[in-house]
Amino acid sequence: MSGAGPLVPPAGLTIAIPTYRRPGAVARALRAVLAEAPDADGPVEILVIDNDPHGSAREAVAEAAAPSAGAGSAPGAAVRYVVEPAPGVSAVRNRALDETADRALLIFIDDDEEPEAGWLRRLLSTRRDTGAAAVAGLVVPDYEAEPDPWLRAGGFFDRQSWPTGTRRPVAATNNLLLDLGAVRAAGVRFDEAFGATGGEDAMFTRSLVAAGGVIVWCDEARVRDRVPAARLTRAWVLRRRRSHAATAVRVELALAGPGVHPGIRARALAGGCARVLAGLGRMALGGLGAGPGRGLVHRARGARLAARGAGMAAAAVGRGAHREYGRP
């Protein structure tokens, strides 16, 4: 690291925490982010955006931000709470862009995550030293209960990482720093068509790169993602794998612009069917026995591959979208 220049530009930094009906979780996230605020060399604003029209997180946020809460007394950190009544993750993330029209930097972190020590300084240092339009960091699962061996063997919660400074073509928004000057110059916002299904972050960051922005990876800027026991089931992980694969195809179609795009659909359908067949074949191999432990790996990873293929094929014919963030 060069050490030149301020970590936080004079126009300032906002850390946004979107939330929806998880007051206990967002309070934990807020306290953890407040503990990181002293690592910045300038004032930090923490913006909690509640997507519940009834403002169910207001009291929990106020308590977590109070000086008596310990971390809330961090110097230079101000906490602001707003309600975004329009449903969906895109509306919440666009509200963050609107609320930071006069700021230089914006960081997104989810309400079920807590940063590890040094997270903020590492994100800021990487951005300063690279001049990147965005910096993405690693999300590490933190299980509420021990996953069963099948889930472990399938690697369903494993996240890929790269050496710090690696350029990336796309990034998630659950641990992402944005240079708002670059975002405004690119004219990008979060697409409301992905508000209920997710995928708005892939659409946004790919559009940012297409406009000339650079995304780099910071492997040391890590957050821990709380994985509740309710998600540690085969049904949940396979449904999410199908949904994410379908959403990726929908992003490709949206980036291609208006039209049917038969070529993209044909490739997705063929690729999806091939993955389903390969996945089923691997599951069958696991059932035949492939040495100690290998059978379980084949069965779990085969099911994962088949689920991905099913999502791709469904999206190719206009189906497969799961409203993960839809209102009940």
Side-chain angles (χ1 to χ4, degrees), residues 67-115:
S68 60
S73 61
V79 178
R80 191 156 59 95
Y81 173 87
V82 299
V83 173
E84 174 49 58
V89 289
S90 295
V92 174
R93 298 201 188 283
N94 282 331
R95 178 66 180 270
L97 295 179
D98 294 338
E99 292 284 340
T100 54
D102 60 346
R103 307 291 279 180
L105 302 176
L106 171 64
I107 296 175
F108 280 112
I109 183 172
D110 284 355
D111 63 355
D112 53 358
E113 296 174 344
E114 297 179 45

Side-chain angles (χ1 to χ4, degrees), residues 123-204:
L123 277 180
L124 292 170
S125 295
T126 300
R127 182 263 165 193
R128 178 196 60 195
D129 295 343
T130 63
V135 180
L138 184 64
V139 177
V140 180
D142 184 11
Y143 302 109
E144 184 179 54
E146 176 61 26
D148 73 35
W150 187 89
L151 291 176
R152 288 280 194 188
F156 287 96
F157 294 96
D158 295 346
R159 309 290 181 97
Q160 191 171 358
S161 64
W162 300 268
T164 294
T166 302
R167 288 195 177 197
R168 299 293 304 137
V170 65
T173 44
N174 50 3
N175 183 10
L176 183 69
L177 178 151
L178 294 171
D179 181 325
L180 290 174
V183 170
R184 293 175 196 126
V188 293
R189 287 176 68 81
F190 292 93
D191 192 330
E192 297 286 350
F194 295 90
T197 62
E200 84 296 341
D201 46 4
M203 185 75 182
F204 178 92

Side-chain angles (χ1 to χ4, degrees), residues 164-325:
T164 294
T166 302
R167 288 195 177 197
R168 299 293 304 137
V170 65
T173 44
N174 50 3
N175 183 10
L176 183 69
L177 178 151
L178 294 171
D179 181 325
L180 290 174
V183 170
R184 293 175 196 126
V188 293
R189 287 176 68 81
F190 292 93
D191 192 330
E192 297 286 350
F194 295 90
T197 62
E200 84 296 341
D201 46 4
M203 185 75 182
F204 178 92
T205 53
R206 288 187 61 178
S207 298
L208 180 61
V209 170
V214 172
I215 303 172
V216 300
W217 185 258
C218 180
D219 198 50
E220 296 80 19
R222 302 186 172 197
V223 300
R224 304 197 70 83
D225 176 26
R226 182 73 165 168
V227 182
R231 295 185 178 183
L232 298 175
T233 68
R234 299 186 186 191
W236 191 92
V237 297
L238 292 174
R239 183 180 68 240
R240 181 167 241 206
R241 183 66 54 172
R242 288 192 299 270
S243 175
H244 282 192
T247 297
V249 175
R250 291 178 60 230
V251 168
E252 289 286 347
L253 291 167
L255 287 168
V260 178
H261 304 298
I264 295 175
R265 292 182 184 276
R267 286 192 297 274
L269 182 59
C273 291
R275 285 169 174 79
V276 170
L277 292 174
L280 293 175
R282 190 168 185 184
M283 291 169 65
L285 177 64
L288 295 174
R294 294 301 301 166
L296 182 63
V297 171
H298 283 311
R299 291 193 298 274
R301 293 187 180 252
R304 188 179 77 173
L305 182 59
R308 181 185 175 196
M312 292 172 63
V317 296
R319 305 183 65 180
H322 174 64
R323 294 175 60 85
E324 186 172 352
Y325 304 101

